[in-house]
Amino acid sequence: METLLRIPMSYEDYRALPDHTRAEWVDGVAVMSPTGPRRRHQRAARRLANLLEEALPGCCVDEAFSVALPRNRERLPDVVVFDVEPVDEVPIRQTPVLVAEVLSPSTQGEDLLRKAPEYAEAGIGQYWVVDIDARIIEVQANVDGRWELLATVDGASPTADVPVGDHGVVHVELPAILC
């Protein structure tokens, strides 16, 4: 299993990385995947983004777009949803309605242990975690700066209707996201 690269560098050097580089900025360190995401990962992220875009028509849905977080951090969620079209800047400084991460063996620890509390601290309303290998989607709601499980979509419960604040309800079908 490949591991994430952690390379200390200035923010200016980080911003000067080539556009195609999948990197995040955390406390003076660029966190990078040595290879890009796998096809299954990208497919699940695209399908989830399409579902969210259809279910939340008043929102702006993007894939892999850099978001500024508190305490000198910049993360790149696999899917990010905003309540209005954000200003066209990198990173986006507007707080997302929700973010989603599709787990990969090399990023699972980062996504679950490091990013989750950062997203909660930033005031993001929901955190969706898609585990392709376990065939499960967990939706967590931010309650007073910590995550509480809102819905689980898995083999035992392959569908769920997930409310996203006052933006709408997302009807999630596991086979539609994970093939």
Side-chain angles (χ1 to χ4, degrees), residues 12-177:
E12 292 74 23
D13 288 342
Y14 166 75
R15 294 301 320 150
L17 290 171
D19 288 341
H20 67 277
T21 305
R22 285 189 66 93
E24 298 174 318
W25 175 255
V26 182
D27 302 325
V29 175
V31 180
M32 298 186 282
S33 178
T35 61
R38 305 277 188 250
R39 284 186 64 234
R40 290 188 326 146
H41 178 281
Q42 288 303 94
R43 190 178 316 129
R46 178 179 42 82
R47 288 178 175 175
L48 180 59
N50 291 346
L51 174 68
L52 292 167
E53 194 165 53
E54 184 177 317
L56 307 171
C59 293
C60 176
V61 180
D62 288 306
E63 293 177 64
F65 211 91
S66 193
V67 176
L69 299 177
R71 298 190 297 127
N72 195 29
R73 295 182 176 154
E74 188 174 312
R75 291 295 193 172
L76 190 68
D78 291 314
V79 179
V80 59
V81 177
F82 298 97
D83 56 355
V84 295
E85 184 78 29
V87 174
D88 191 17
E89 66 180 354
V90 177
I92 295 175
R93 301 199 179 282
Q94 178 179 325
T95 302
V97 170
L98 73 82
V99 295
E101 295 289 356
V102 178
L103 301 181
S104 296
S106 64
T107 65
Q108 185 168 342
E110 192 76 15
D111 292 341
L112 297 176
L113 302 176
R114 292 190 175 100
K115 289 184 182 182
E118 292 173 14
Y119 290 154
E121 179 186 358
I124 296 169
Q126 291 184 356
Y127 184 38
W128 294 44
V129 178
V130 179
D131 189 330
I132 297 170
D133 294 330
R135 298 197 56 77
I136 188 170
I137 299 171
E138 288 187 342
V139 179
Q140 301 180 53
N142 190 338
V143 178
D144 299 324
R146 48 187 184 74
W147 298 115
E148 289 187 8
L149 188 62
L150 181 63
T152 301
V153 184
D154 59 14
S157 300
T159 64
D161 290 322
V162 181
V164 179
D166 60 356
H167 304 288
V169 175
V170 181
H171 180 72
V172 182
E173 296 181 8
L174 190 67
I177 305 299

